[in-house]
Amino acid sequence: MTERMIENRVKKLQTIEAQMKELEAQAEKVKAEIKADLEGKGVDELKTKNFIIYWKEIISNRALTAKL
C-alpha cells in the first residue's frame, strides 16, 4: 500500500471506531431504560411474545486462580 492508502485506511478506522463508541453509548442507554422499567415494575424477569428479558445482579465470591 502507498502512504496515502494507509492514511486513508487509518482515517476510515478512526471513523468506524468513533461510530462504535456512539453505538455502544446508545446500547447502554437502551439497557438502562430496560433495567429501569423492570425495576419500576419490581420484577427481574419479563416474558414478551418474542423475548424473555431478565436483569439480575450476580454476586460471586469465587476467587480466580492461576496455576504457576
Side-chain angles (χ1 to χ4, degrees):
M1 277 191 270
T2 65
E3 187 174 310
R4 182 181 179 122
M5 290 172 71
I6 291 173
E7 285 192 6
N8 286 338
R9 298 281 165 98
V10 170
K11 288 178 185 177
K12 183 176 182 177
L13 177 60
Q14 289 174 331
T15 301
I16 291 169
E17 288 175 341
Q19 291 171 346
M20 286 172 51
K21 286 181 184 178
E22 176 62 31
L23 289 172
E24 287 171 358
Q26 289 179 21
E28 288 302 317
K29 182 180 176 184
V30 171
K31 286 179 186 180
E33 291 172 356
I34 293 169
K35 180 181 176 185
D37 186 64
L38 292 177
E39 288 175 344
K41 293 176 180 173
V43 298
D44 59 2
E45 184 176 304
L46 180 67
K47 294 179 183 178
T48 68
K49 180 179 177 184
N50 297 308
F51 302 100
I52 299 174
I53 301 112
Y54 56 93
W55 198 276
K56 296 179 183 178
E57 190 170 330
I58 299 173
I59 300 171
S60 175
N61 292 346
R62 185 174 67 185
L64 298 177
T65 59
K67 292 184 180 181
L68 301 176

